[in-house]
Amino acid sequence: MSAKLWIAIAAVIIIAIVGALVALQQPPAQKPTPSQNTSTAATPPKGNIYVIYDIGGRGDLSFNDMAYLGASKASVDFGLGLKEVQSKTQDDYVPNLRAAARSGDAVLIVAVGFLMTDAVKQVSQEYPNAKFAIIDGYIPDRPNVLSVLYKENEGSALVGALAALTAYYYNCTKVGIVLGMEIPVLWKFEIGYAYGVRWAERYIKQKFGKDVKFDILYIYTGSFNDPAKGKQAAEVMLAQGVCVIYQAAGATGLGVFEAVAEAGKRAGRNMGPPFAIGVDADQDYIKPGFILASMMKRVDVGVYTAAKMAVEGTFKGGVLELGLKDGGVSVSTLDDLAQFIQIGVRAGAVKQEDADKIVAAVREMRSKIPSWVWDAVNQLKQDIIAGKEQVPLPTTQDQVAQLRKELGLGVAS
């Protein structure tokens, strides 16, 4: 399936699903970029939330769509309009942000993604009275900019442990991670995942008395919106015997799911191994039975919190960092899946009979993973929250290079 068709399908699905969140309270009136949702025709919005998307854009079923989810909920709860602006290239960042800032009706301007950091720095200085929130960008010294950061290394450590322990159960010793562009925020996914794998080795030694060494392969695809590249990267790993692949690549990762499911079906299986692991949103439903779990990065929570602060008059610049303890990152559960599927049912994107089949397939797949695996992942979670386990947090190229060496990561080729 072509990359363009993948993205088109993804966009249709996610628009229908997230639209159900607001359908019971307001009928959104969609416009071309920017688009606007208003509370009702009789009650004009008190202002607008502007969401400026990165070049990855809506329809990735993860990062950007989670930002929309938080903004749409905030628009309903606080009686605000919602205007969306898609950036086609990086040259669009500054003019898109300026247009929102000079509109005069922006309660909050949300910049979705690390790549907009420099643009937000520039425009926030030009418009000191406008309020900005940037997801994954670090701008700690502006009174009108809230930097919303996540401890992706913590959540990634959990799915790293899950990947390794599941691989061990299926007599496999190779796991991998497919990433998008190599930017600092993705180092947290990569290194956190590897740390979780090495933690699992220690756990296996303690529980079973066995010395196991996992190969950890990684590939940066250089893209967040090219499923074909994700599929190609996953196929390279699968050919080398990798049995669990974590995707941290936005819409590019949809190709990872395709490759894993195809490999499983060629082997005559209707569920893994091999397995994939989703990212940002609960993606377990996309290829039910082949997606072990998802590392949920609650971008929606960050966007909603920033909007709430702006509306209530408590907004101030600085850093809002969300980790395991704060519910900012987590491993998807069956409860998450059931909730997400029901939203899809109400939106008409998923038939109830198909929804039941999807949930049943995921439930069956999870039931085949021993309970000690899930218990171990929860143990690691509690140890991280308690401070007993410190997941590395690389911030420079030198640090990530050293940690790759210490944790034994290898480039898949």
Side-chain angles (χ1 to χ4, degrees), residues 39 45-50 70-71 73-81 105-110 131-133 146 302-316:
S39 300
K46 302 172 184 177
N48 290 299
I49 302 173
Y50 283 79
K73 182 176 182 351
S75 72
V76 172
D77 290 356
F78 306 128
L80 302 173
D105 63 3
V107 173
L108 179 70
I109 302 166
V110 181
K131 297 180 177 66
F132 298 82
L146 179 66
V303 172
Y304 184 90
T305 301
K308 186 173 186 290
M309 293 167 65
V311 169
E312 295 180 347
T314 59
F315 184 95
K316 61 180 180 179

Side-chain angles (χ1 to χ4, degrees), residues 363-405:
R363 187 184 303 277
E364 182 183 1
M365 178 270 295
R366 287 197 173 214
S367 72
K368 293 184 181 299
I369 308 298
S371 59
W372 63 261
V373 171
W374 302 106
D375 291 342
V377 173
N378 186 60
Q379 177 185 321
L380 176 57
K381 174 184 177 181
Q382 299 306 322
D383 285 348
I384 293 172
I385 290 174
K388 296 178 182 178
E389 291 287 341
Q390 300 287 335
V391 184
L393 179 60
T395 58
T396 67
Q397 186 70 63
D398 289 343
Q399 289 175 351
V400 77
Q402 181 61 32
L403 285 165
R404 283 172 182 160
K405 183 177 180 181

Side-chain angles (χ1 to χ4, degrees), residues 63-398:
F63 183 74
N64 287 281
D65 292 323
M66 290 296 280
Y68 171 78
L69 199 63
S72 64
K73 182 176 182 351
S75 72
V76 172
D77 290 356
F78 306 128
L80 302 173
L82 172 57
K83 291 191 175 182
E84 303 172 75
V85 183
Q86 177 61 55
S87 302
K88 294 180 180 179
T89 71
Q90 294 187 24
D91 291 337
D92 293 334
Y93 297 161
V94 168
N96 285 344
L97 289 165
R98 278 178 178 156
R102 70 166 64 103
S103 68
D105 63 3
V107 173
L108 179 70
I109 302 166
V110 181
V112 186
F114 167 84
L115 293 176
M116 276 191 267
T117 301
D118 289 342
V120 172
K121 285 181 180 178
Q122 178 180 337
V123 179
S124 64
Q125 189 169 28
E126 294 173 356
Y127 296 88
N129 293 324
K131 297 180 177 66
F132 298 82
I134 180 166
I135 307 298
D136 286 346
Y138 184 65
I139 308 174
D141 55 353
R142 295 285 170 82
N144 62 331
V145 179
L146 179 66
S147 299
V148 183
L149 304 178
Y150 293 84
K151 297 180 181 179
E152 298 95 341
N153 54 326
E154 294 183 349
S156 295
L158 297 188
V159 295
L162 176 61
L165 295 172
T166 301
Y168 171 77
Y169 176 70
Y170 284 103
N171 299 311
C172 170
T173 57
K174 292 184 178 182
V175 298
I177 177 170
V178 172
L179 305 110
M181 299 174 66
E182 185 166 357
I183 54 178
V185 66
L186 287 197
W187 293 339
K188 295 192 281 184
F189 290 86
E190 175 196 346
I191 298 304
Y193 182 69
Y195 183 87
V197 172
R198 299 306 178 209
W199 179 91
E201 292 175 346
R202 301 195 298 271
Y203 181 88
I204 292 168
K205 174 67 173 178
Q206 181 182 33
K207 184 174 181 65
F208 301 107
K210 295 184 178 181
D211 291 309
V212 180
K213 186 71 172 179
F214 291 94
D215 291 337
I216 309 172
L217 303 182
Y218 73 95
I219 295 178
Y220 279 91
T221 62
S223 174
F224 290 112
N225 58 0
D226 191 341
K229 285 186 177 180
K231 185 175 183 180
Q232 182 181 27
E235 288 172 341
V236 168
M237 291 187 176
L238 292 167
Q240 296 180 44
V242 171
C243 59
V244 184
I245 303 175
Y246 177 31
Q247 79 90 355
T252 297
L254 296 174
V256 174
F257 299 152
E258 183 77 5
V260 166
E262 286 182 0
K265 290 174 181 177
R266 281 196 301 269
R269 304 188 182 105
N270 60 5
M271 62 183 63
F275 292 103
I277 294 175
V279 75
D280 294 338
D282 185 337
Q283 298 185 312
D284 304 8
Y285 72 97
I286 296 176
K287 292 292 181 182
F290 290 101
I291 301 180
L292 189 57
S294 299
M295 197 290 280
M296 297 181 68
K297 175 179 173 179
R298 300 306 301 262
V299 175
D300 57 325
V301 173
V303 172
Y304 184 90
T305 301
K308 186 173 186 290
M309 293 167 65
V311 169
E312 295 180 347
T314 59
F315 184 95
K316 61 180 180 179
V319 177
L320 173 65
E321 190 171 31
L322 304 171
L324 285 174
K325 185 177 181 180
D326 317 290
V329 295
S330 64
V331 177
S332 61
T333 67
L334 287 172
D335 288 340
D336 294 323
L337 176 64
Q339 179 185 31
F340 200 79
I341 289 294
Q342 287 308 312
I343 292 171
V345 169
R346 290 197 296 273
V350 180
K351 295 180 180 179
Q352 184 64 59
E353 56 268 28
D354 293 336
D356 292 342
K357 291 176 183 177
I358 290 170
V359 173
V362 175
R363 187 184 303 277
E364 182 183 1
M365 178 270 295
R366 287 197 173 214
S367 72
K368 293 184 181 299
I369 308 298
S371 59
W372 63 261
V373 171
W374 302 106
D375 291 342
V377 173
N378 186 60
Q379 177 185 321
L380 176 57
K381 174 184 177 181
Q382 299 306 322
D383 285 348
I384 293 172
I385 290 174
K388 296 178 182 178
E389 291 287 341
Q390 300 287 335
V391 184
L393 179 60
T395 58
T396 67
Q397 186 70 63
D398 289 343

